[in-house]
Amino acid sequence: MTNRVAEILKVEKPIIQAPLFWLTDDKLVAAASNAGGLGTLGFNAGQTEMTRSIDVTMDRTRAEIQKVKALTNKPFGLNILAIDDDFFEPTLQVMIDEKVPVAVAAGDFTQAAFDKLKAAGITIVYRPLNPSVEITKRAVAAGADIIVATGFDEGGTVPDKVIGTLSVTPMIVDAAGDVPVMAAGGIVDARTAKAVFDLGAEGLYVGTAFMMSEESRMADNIKQQALDEDADDLVMYRTEPAYYRSLPGELPNKLVQMDNDSASREEIYKASNAFDGMRLGMLVGDLTQGYASFGLGISQINKIESVATIMDRLYAGVPVEN
């Protein structure tokens, strides 16, 4: 098939397995790349404990990259913050050393960061936390190769503006001009894939569906709870920087109550155990101390399957151009 996203990423299928923080590791990422998409290592990939040391973080990242390379000869990516902070240069150097071809650049960005990635020959997939016409045009001018349009339907740190995937996708497509756009949020099967392609997307950026795969290291009890519940069972609360959505549980329910009682975003964030709450909830499986974030597509996921099966189901909704 002819597809600009697939051509830019040098993959068979224009589908990215989203970098899922703790839940990514060599097995999940290699499985996604071997299935024809682009697997991506997230922050703390393959780890079980947090560290704030840059040196330790880089050593762990390099080791996980090497483990992926032992399992696949296909392209894969690495999540990186797109601002030139203390972690940027060390991460960029690891990418250069290990020949990781794609940076999934998250959050705000600086021109300097984009310039350094481009100078190293690294493809930039840019996913702003809060997609907008303005930031899309800025990112295109700065050199982004692909833009990700993320709708409020997603899991994780949702955008601060409540704009659903079916609304944000054409908005960002129109703003991106000649740069292709991937859609994210609530995309779990051929139906949802076809819908965003009909709106102008040229690729799929998928998290929740791959979290529910056989290869995902997410705790089995959390996978089972996600199978048993639907989108209308999920709870949502204010936190920093905007909102979070979770399966119900002791801590998530407490955070909802704090929100209802008008606690500040900072107070709720602190009570959630910040990003370590994701590790405790989704990796350890403890919703008394953590939370478990999912996108709204969870309603359409009814069993645990292989990454390859999920990839094929998504790809069945991608139009073929001859």
Side-chain angles (χ1 to χ4, degrees):
M1 68 170 289
T2 301
N3 176 282
R4 290 196 296 170
V5 166
E7 290 174 353
I8 291 169
L9 298 178
K10 296 181 173 56
V11 297
E12 176 190 349
K13 300 166 183 172
I15 302 168
I16 287 180
Q17 161 256 305
L20 304 164
F21 288 92
W22 300 93
L23 302 182
T24 54
D25 66 358
D26 58 322
K27 297 178 183 63
L28 176 65
V29 171
S33 290
N34 285 333
L38 187 86
T40 309
L41 289 169
F43 304 124
N44 297 307
Q47 304 308 306
T48 57
E49 298 294 337
M50 289 191 70
T51 176
R52 299 189 183 281
S53 165
I54 294 176
D55 290 342
V56 173
T57 299
M58 292 305 107
D59 288 345
R60 290 177 175 182
T61 300
R62 189 185 299 274
E64 204 65 26
I65 289 170
Q66 292 173 352
K67 288 163 67 177
V68 174
K69 290 160 70 174
L71 296 175
T72 184
N73 59 3
K74 303 291 182 65
F76 63 95
L78 181 68
N79 205 190
I80 187 171
L81 290 176
I83 55 174
D84 205 349
D85 68 353
D86 291 343
F87 280 85
F88 181 84
E89 289 283 359
T91 304
L92 174 60
Q93 191 58 54
V94 169
M95 294 188 73
I96 293 170
D97 292 346
E98 299 297 332
K99 297 180 173 59
V100 178
V102 180
V104 177
D108 297 331
F109 75 89
T110 63
Q111 182 69 59
F114 271 28
D115 288 346
K116 290 173 182 177
L117 288 166
K118 298 297 283 188
I122 294 171
T123 298
I124 301 173
V125 178
Y126 178 56
R127 190 183 82 89
L129 177 59
N130 297 299
S132 69
V133 169
E134 178 186 1
I135 197 169
T136 298
K137 290 182 176 180
R138 284 180 49 226
V140 168
D145 296 290
I146 297 169
I147 302 291
V148 179
T150 303
F152 200 75
D153 313 57
E154 73 151 341
T157 305
V158 297
D160 60 10
K161 292 187 177 178
V162 187
I163 305 175
T165 303
L166 295 187
S167 297
V168 80
T169 299
M171 182 178 82
I172 301 305
V173 167
D174 291 346
D178 292 332
V179 172
V181 171
M182 305 184 80
I187 303 165
V188 297
D189 57 14
R191 292 180 298 172
T192 45
K194 183 178 185 303
V196 293
F197 268 85
D198 285 346
L199 293 169
E202 297 179 54
L204 312 174
Y205 184 98
V206 179
T208 293
F210 290 123
M211 291 193 314
M212 295 293 285
S213 68
E214 293 170 354
E215 293 88 343
S216 165
R217 64 200 299 250
M218 187 162 63
D220 288 341
N221 64 309
I222 300 299
K223 286 183 181 180
Q224 187 58 54
Q225 185 175 346
L227 288 177
D228 293 339
E229 296 179 342
D230 292 318
D232 57 4
D233 295 308
L234 297 174
V235 300
M236 176 168 279
Y237 50 89
R238 290 178 303 113
T239 185
E240 293 182 340
Y243 306 95
Y244 233 81
R245 184 183 290 122
S246 175
L247 293 174
E250 183 177 328
L251 180 61
N253 295 348
K254 173 188 172 183
L255 300 175
V256 171
Q257 188 59 53
M258 290 179 68
D259 188 3
N260 292 338
D261 292 340
S262 301
S264 70
R265 279 189 159 88
E266 182 180 4
E267 289 170 331
I268 298 171
Y269 180 73
K270 189 175 297 184
S272 74
N273 292 314
F275 280 113
D276 196 39
M278 178 183 291
R279 179 185 70 87
L280 293 167
M282 304 185 80
L283 192 62
V284 178
D286 182 2
L287 294 184
T288 68
Q289 300 184 77
Y291 50 84
S293 178
F294 287 84
L296 298 182
I298 145 182
S299 300
Q300 285 76 56
I301 300 174
N302 302 306
K303 55 185 173 180
I304 306 300
E305 298 175 301
S306 70
V307 164
T309 298
I310 295 165
M311 190 74 74
D312 286 345
R313 181 177 298 110
L314 290 162
Y315 189 59
V318 175
V320 176
E321 301 174 12
N322 297 316

